[in-house]
Amino acid sequence: MLQFTVNDKLCTRCGLCAADCPARIITQAGKALPAIRPDQEAECLQCQHCLAICPAAAISILGRKPEDSLPLAGNSFPRLDQMTLFVRGRRSIRQYKDENVDPVLIKQLLAALANVPTGVNNRTLTFTVIDDKAVMHRLRKKVLAALAAAGLAGRIPERFKYLQEAPPAYDEHKVDIIFRGAPHALVVAAPADAPCPGEDVALTLAYFDLLAQSARLGTVWWGMLKMFLEVLPDMKPLFGLAPRHRHYYGMLFGLPAIHYPRTVQRDDAATVRRVTL
């Protein structure tokens, strides 16, 4: 049941909800209230566009009421110059303070992250968070010990030989090339039968990257996670990964121990081509 309801006293019959419905299942004509036929409810993408676009706050759906949404105005979003500086200035952080991030902040970030777009609004992502540096430390020791054993047994493929350096680097020099000394991590996974599983994972982590850095946290894309889990697949459940999660990636985060006082200069790093007809 969609619980699609329209407040008769507030609705102006403007037709915006019907015109903006991606599934085209909302009908509204003349003085009639907007409606969805029962036999078309299964076609709803559950995007809540109807709730969001109604200027009179007359529409509720899926048990969500418009008064519980955050209001938006013309100045609600950052300006282009602010976002430009943000994108130019964000850096991958590989040095972290040995401190836990406030759990309230982590919860706030993950709640916001649940609003990221997914292909066909599928929303079947799984977020696995390591929110305690003590847990992260135990995971680090477990992974490094398993990598050391895999190396001695000759079970690390040539393309991942770099991983063999991780245990001695940490044991002898306290250099953490796998976890980067980060106190926290987020692993995002999508089921293989999602419409766009790889894209959903990458886009979600990109959003988290920007959300976390706007909260003055440091982040770095965790490619090492993919590498060591290829060598140690039995450890996947420790990171919230089930057999159906063939598409996943991770991000390390925490309070940065460093500060970059300026942006870099690489506006020419991409090839730009124009389409002409």
Side-chain angles (χ1 to χ4, degrees):
M1 295 291 292
L2 293 182
Q3 298 175 269
F4 180 81
T5 60
V6 183
N7 187 316
D8 189 10
K9 294 181 180 179
L10 295 178
C11 179
T12 64
R13 281 69 166 174
C14 65
L16 284 174
C17 57
D20 198 54
C21 176
R24 298 295 182 186
I25 60 173
I26 299 177
T27 59
Q28 192 280 318
K31 295 184 179 180
L33 286 175
I36 300 175
R37 294 203 323 257
D39 64 315
Q40 289 187 302
E41 287 195 352
E43 300 174 39
C44 177
L45 300 181
Q46 301 189 15
C47 63
Q48 301 182 42
H49 275 17
C50 52
L51 178 149
I53 201 170
C54 179
I59 294 178
S60 298
I61 191 169
L62 301 168
R64 270 71 171 185
K65 299 179 181 179
E67 57 265 31
D68 295 327
S69 294
L70 298 175
L72 295 175
N75 61 350
S76 294
F77 296 153
R79 299 189 310 271
L80 176 59
D81 58 338
Q82 294 174 316
M83 286 304 299
T84 298
L85 180 61
F86 187 24
V87 170
R88 290 177 186 269
R90 74 144 303 279
R91 303 250 61 81
S92 294
I93 302 298
R94 297 175 178 86
Q95 299 182 63
Y96 295 91
K97 295 180 180 179
D98 186 23
E99 300 176 21
N100 275 329
V101 171
D102 184 348
V104 174
L105 175 56
I106 295 177
K107 184 177 181 180
Q108 180 182 358
L109 291 172
L110 295 179
L113 196 64
N115 290 273
V116 301
T118 54
V120 201
N121 199 37
N122 186 253
R123 296 176 296 116
T124 52
L125 294 171
T126 297
F127 301 163
T128 299
V129 64
I130 302 169
D131 57 6
D132 186 338
K133 68 186 184 75
V135 173
M136 185 68 115
H137 183 64
R138 290 194 291 271
L139 274 172
R140 180 186 296 109
K141 292 179 65 176
K142 193 176 186 70
V143 169
L144 291 175
L147 283 176
L152 289 173
R155 291 188 286 107
I156 298 181
E158 187 65 34
R159 68 184 186 280
F160 294 147
K161 286 297 183 183
Y162 179 69
L163 294 176
Q164 292 188 177
E165 302 175 18
Y170 188 77
D171 293 339
E172 298 170 18
H173 307 290
K174 295 304 177 187
V175 175
D176 184 4
I177 64 177
I178 301 291
F179 293 78
R180 302 295 184 184
H184 306 302
L186 172 68
V187 179
V188 177
D193 60 355
C196 310
E199 292 82 354
D200 290 347
V201 168
L203 187 60
T204 299
L205 283 173
Y207 270 78
F208 181 77
D209 187 16
L210 298 178
L211 281 168
Q213 296 226 9
S214 71
R216 304 301 185 266
L217 301 181
T219 60
V220 64
W221 291 75
W222 200 12
M224 286 291 181
L225 174 76
K226 296 279 288 188
M227 293 174 64
F228 74 70
L229 287 182
E230 286 292 311
V231 176
L232 309 170
D234 290 346
M235 285 195 165
K236 287 185 177 182
L238 292 176
F239 297 89
L241 300 172
R244 68 191 185 100
H245 292 139
R246 292 202 296 257
H247 299 270
Y248 66 91
Y249 212 88
M251 185 165 286
L252 299 168
F253 69 97
L255 295 168
I258 54 174
H259 166 70
Y260 293 93
R262 64 191 57 80
T263 67
V264 297
Q265 302 170 38
R266 57 184 188 192
D267 288 11
D268 57 352
T271 299
V272 179
R273 293 194 174 101
R274 293 177 59 246
V275 174
T276 59
L277 294 176

